[in-house]
Amino acid sequence: MAKSEATRRRMLLAEETRCPENIRLLQEAVALRLDAARQLGYKTHAEFVLEENMAKTPDSVLEFEKDLRRRLDVLADSEITEIEQLKQADKKAANETYTGLYNWDFRYYSNLVKERKHKVNEERVKQYFSVEPVTRGILDIYQDILKLRFDKVENPPVWHPDVTMYEVWEADNSAFLGHIYLDLFPRQGKYGHACVNPIQNGSENSDGSRVYPVAAILANFPKPTSTTPALLTHDDVITLLHEMGHLLHHICIQTKWAHFGLDSVQHDFIECPSQLFENWGWEPSVLQKFAAHYKTGERIPKELVAQLVAAKNEGAGLFNLRQVFFGMFDMAIHNTEDANVDVEATYKALREQITRFSGGSGPGCGAATFGHMMGGYDAGYYGYLWAKSFSADMYATRFTKDGITNAQTGMDYRREILCPGGSIDASVGLERFLGRAPSSAAFLESIGVANSQ
């Protein structure tokens, strides 16, 4: 971590002055989207996009974001105080004047608070998360809960030697379900983030036989070396659980038409199944099953798991306010009748107002590299937190109460949430699974926000 504020500032400015031409392109895209929406009879681009989502209207999204911001602000107050005290102490020790908190301070001091309060040593943690047993352990989670079986294919026809391939079957051998590929390590020219790519959607032929779904996880976890296996951070483990959620969603969809595959699931729900399974990565009983020291085979110590769990929600107020900011910026430029809305000025103003950190007086604008706005999440970024509230509700209401390895609950989930794909409105499946309308109460409680606020 960069202790020098000047270094942190230079690093952030280097990042946020990249691709300045993208501001003009985003500005143009916003105008074109608004024009297209108007020609179709809508007032704003957001109104057009949201009609087919769970939210249905911009007002629903704005009400959700504003209510969440109000609640998170209370949580963030104490977090800001801690960070201010750390930075003020650093400035005093360096005989420098404290002038406030800036965007380049956020990650540094957030990590520092977590490190000092919870003493989580990431290097020590990694020793217990070797990629092969972690992958097998995660597959076992899905296997047990969803009643599936994963058979590794030997000498598979793949595009790179690092890629592994599995057949997916019903646990009782009653049916073959599809193929999955795990492409987990970086290489030159590969997509740089983690994602799931559907290769083929499942569907039904005219004779009643199935076309089986195929999908691949792309990730960039650290590669093994000559002396150590590939070791993952706990964040990497959560990422793998998340992406596996997308992967198995795709495989478990059972619709007649290929059109209703993963890509047709409502955008403000599609993250929900993957977010749900992140919860198992915080369960001590689950981690004890597959987290073992790569040299000794010793199971991960309970005290280390306790430290990870205790640190889980550290900084949750400020982190989620950043998510609210991205969603509010998205709506500000897409739920407007002004084709000339100033993208750069809007981004800078909202970031400072919502995240509570100043942008300073330097050049640059993070909107130039906010890829979601040109990558299919226009008028849809709110969906990350929207879906998170539903995943927390499902976990607390069914899995926590029924048992986190309860296969009957898992099959209910598979039937009501995964199998329909995009063939029904997600709210229908949610209400069937929960037995009532969904609520955000469990999500707020999970991050330490009192529902009475």
Side-chain angles (χ1 to χ4, degrees):
M1 296 192 295
K3 293 183 178 180
S4 165
E5 180 172 9
T7 300
R8 295 197 302 272
R9 182 177 183 275
R10 284 199 305 272
M11 291 285 288
L12 186 72
L13 288 178
E15 179 182 346
E16 296 200 345
T17 52
R18 294 178 299 151
C19 311
E21 65 275 13
N22 284 355
I23 295 295
R24 177 184 58 80
L25 294 173
L26 179 56
Q27 195 80 55
E28 183 181 352
V30 166
L32 289 171
R33 288 164 179 164
L34 176 58
D35 181 55
R38 283 173 171 166
Q39 292 190 49
L40 292 169
Y42 300 90
K43 292 180 180 179
T44 69
H45 177 65
E47 191 177 278
F48 162 67
V49 169
L50 294 171
E51 186 177 58
E52 294 189 354
N53 282 1
M54 291 182 71
K56 304 304 181 198
T57 69
D59 284 347
S60 295
V61 174
L62 291 170
E63 181 181 349
F64 170 76
E65 295 277 25
K66 289 175 181 176
D67 178 66
L68 192 53
R69 179 187 176 185
R70 178 179 61 81
R71 295 171 185 270
L72 290 170
D73 271 335
V74 178
L75 192 60
D77 285 342
S78 60
E79 296 169 0
I80 283 284
T81 299
E82 283 186 283
I83 289 175
E84 279 183 326
Q85 289 171 348
L86 285 176
K87 187 174 181 183
Q88 286 169 349
D90 284 347
K91 288 297 182 183
K92 184 177 181 180
N95 198 27
E96 296 174 358
T97 302
Y98 172 78
T99 59
L101 293 175
Y102 299 91
N103 293 323
W104 51 82
D105 293 322
F106 172 70
R107 292 191 185 279
Y108 173 75
Y109 283 105
S110 295
N111 288 333
L112 201 59
V113 169
K114 182 179 292 189
E115 190 177 89
R116 292 186 179 184
K117 286 178 70 174
H118 303 287
K119 298 178 173 58
V120 176
N121 185 324
E122 291 291 353
E123 287 305 311
R124 184 187 175 204
V125 170
K126 285 167 61 176
Q127 312 304 306
Y128 294 91
F129 291 123
S130 179
V131 71
E132 289 192 16
V134 166
T135 301
R136 186 64 250 178
I138 288 175
L139 288 173
D140 286 346
I141 293 170
Y142 283 94
Q143 189 166 266
D144 294 343
I145 296 169
L146 301 179
K147 291 189 177 180
L148 301 172
R149 193 183 84 235
F150 301 97
D151 292 343
K152 190 173 182 179
V153 177
E154 300 300 329
N155 301 312
V158 293
W159 52 92
H160 191 275
D162 288 344
V163 180
T164 54
M165 178 183 180
Y166 292 83
E167 293 179 346
V168 185
W169 292 79
E170 295 285 3
D172 62 3
N173 287 333
S174 61
F176 173 73
L177 294 175
H179 284 108
I180 59 174
Y181 296 90
L182 308 184
D183 186 353
L184 302 182
F185 303 116
R187 59 181 176 273
Q188 188 173 4
K190 183 181 174 183
Y191 179 69
H193 300 286
C195 69
V196 165
N197 288 114
I199 297 171
Q200 177 173 277
N201 285 358
S203 62
E204 187 177 303
N205 291 318
S206 58
D207 63 0
S209 62
R210 292 290 297 173
V211 174
Y212 297 109
V214 183
I217 286 180
L218 300 183
N220 290 273
F221 300 133
K223 296 189 74 167
T225 69
S226 59
T227 57
T228 61
L231 299 175
L232 306 180
T233 65
H234 184 252
D235 283 347
D236 290 335
V237 175
I238 299 299
T239 296
L240 189 53
L241 276 161
H242 178 101
E243 298 304 338
M244 201 73 77
H246 284 307
L247 197 68
L248 273 302
H249 189 180
H250 179 73
I251 295 298
C252 288
I253 290 172
Q254 293 285 314
T255 58
K256 181 176 182 179
W257 307 107
H259 172 77
F260 295 113
L262 190 66
D263 289 338
S264 71
V265 174
Q266 287 159 305
H267 273 208
D268 51 2
F269 185 75
I270 197 166
E271 295 296 330
C272 187
S274 50
Q275 290 170 338
L276 173 74
F277 273 90
E278 292 178 18
N279 289 286
W280 276 262
W282 297 100
E283 292 288 352
S285 62
V286 172
L287 292 176
Q288 286 285 330
K289 290 181 180 179
F290 63 78
H293 198 283
Y294 78 97
K295 286 182 179 179
T296 66
E298 171 205 11
R299 293 293 171 183
I300 190 168
K302 291 182 180 179
E303 49 88 11
L304 190 54
V305 174
Q307 288 173 352
L308 287 170
V309 173
K312 177 185 177 183
N313 286 326
E314 189 61 53
L318 289 171
F319 173 80
N320 285 291
L321 276 177
R322 285 174 65 81
Q323 292 297 94
V324 169
F325 152 63
F326 287 127
M328 293 290 279
F329 166 71
D330 176 22
M331 292 301 290
I333 64 174
H334 288 123
N335 188 44
T336 178
E337 297 182 56
D338 179 7
N340 298 310
V341 58
D342 190 325
V343 166
E344 186 172 1
T346 301
Y347 186 94
K348 289 181 175 180
L350 285 176
R351 179 162 68 171
E352 191 157 328
Q353 292 167 20
I354 298 172
T355 70
R356 319 273 285 273
F357 286 75
S358 172
S361 57
C365 178
T369 52
F370 186 18
H372 290 77
M373 295 299 92
M374 298 293 277
Y377 278 81
D378 43 292
Y381 195 89
Y382 74 93
Y384 282 103
L385 287 176
W386 181 276
K388 192 80 170 178
S389 68
F390 299 143
S391 69
D393 195 6
M394 288 194 291
Y395 192 70
T397 301
R398 292 297 308 272
F399 287 101
T400 299
K401 289 183 179 178
D402 299 346
I404 62 171
T405 57
N406 187 306
Q408 184 54 56
T409 304
M411 289 304 290
D412 290 347
Y413 170 77
R414 186 174 156 186
R415 182 183 64 252
E416 304 294 357
I417 303 298
L418 303 185
C419 287
S423 65
I424 63 171
D425 192 294
S427 60
V428 175
L430 269 172
E431 291 195 22
R432 287 174 180 166
F433 181 69
L434 293 169
R436 55 165 173 76
S439 162
S440 63
F443 168 63
L444 294 169
E445 183 179 346
S446 75
I447 62 172
V449 176
N451 288 320
S452 59
Q453 289 178 8

